[in-house]
Amino acid sequence: MSKREREVMRRLLDAGGTTYAEEAGIRLRDNPSPLYRLLVLAMLSSTRISTDIAVAAAREVSAAGWRTPQRLLDSTWQQRVDALGRAHYRRYDESTATKLEEQAQWLLENYRGDLRRIRPSSRDDAGALIDALTESPRIGPVGARIFCREVQDVWPALSPFLDDPLLDQARDLGLPGDPDELAALVPGGRCAPLAAALTRARHGLPELEET
């Protein structure tokens, strides 16, 4: 690795290396509750709405106490609409209030509320994980990849999970386009912050502009 690559990586992580789970107040661990909260964040991020609003909505869902699928099912539809409204998640608040209930039911019925039941044992299982996640209400391939990007440091068998759009962005920044080579540049090998930073860089990070 070159000195320039190390410097670009440092600037990239400094500018955008906070994970979206961290922004949403999720202390991600390999436990059912934080994994469920990440799934909610992935679903909220899957609509055509800004990331900031999706993160704020995930914070509201957690603040309301709905940190497990069962607690979410104990809420009313109107309570969920109101929580989403507080985050200005307005265009999709009513349909999403329904989808949150369907998602919680799906998780309880298929995995007893515990996403660790689909935890991959190797990177070769990433496709199967994405397929399983897309069975969740309103989680398409984009939402499934969001989940994988964020969870990879908690599920290290999945890491490095850096899909093609992120690898293209890395190349644009003058970084390696190979996931393992990129991971070798990251302090501690933590690739979730790298994935978040590359995602933000795709939408523009002024701090990365040459001065």
Side-chain angles (χ1 to χ4, degrees), residues 37-57:
R37 292 168 66 194
L38 178 60
L39 185 69
V40 169
L41 174 60
M43 187 187 81
L44 294 170
S45 301
S46 296
T47 56
R48 292 183 179 179
I49 205 158
S50 77
T51 301
D52 289 346
I53 291 176
V55 166

Side-chain angles (χ1 to χ4, degrees), residues 135-204:
E135 294 176 1
S136 171
R138 199 180 273 174
I139 296 281
V142 171
R145 289 196 297 270
I146 290 171
F147 184 94
C148 292
R149 292 171 183 172
E150 293 280 311
V151 82
Q152 62 183 311
D153 292 338
V154 174
W155 288 351
L158 186 61
S159 183
F161 184 89
L162 300 165
D163 48 2
D164 289 342
L166 300 191
L167 296 178
D168 288 342
Q169 181 59 51
R171 294 185 190 98
D172 288 345
L173 295 172
L175 292 169
D178 176 81
D180 292 307
E181 291 180 24
L182 274 173
L185 289 167
V186 180
R190 296 184 64 241
C191 287
L194 172 59
L198 288 170
T199 299
R200 292 187 177 96
R202 294 183 68 211
H203 302 289

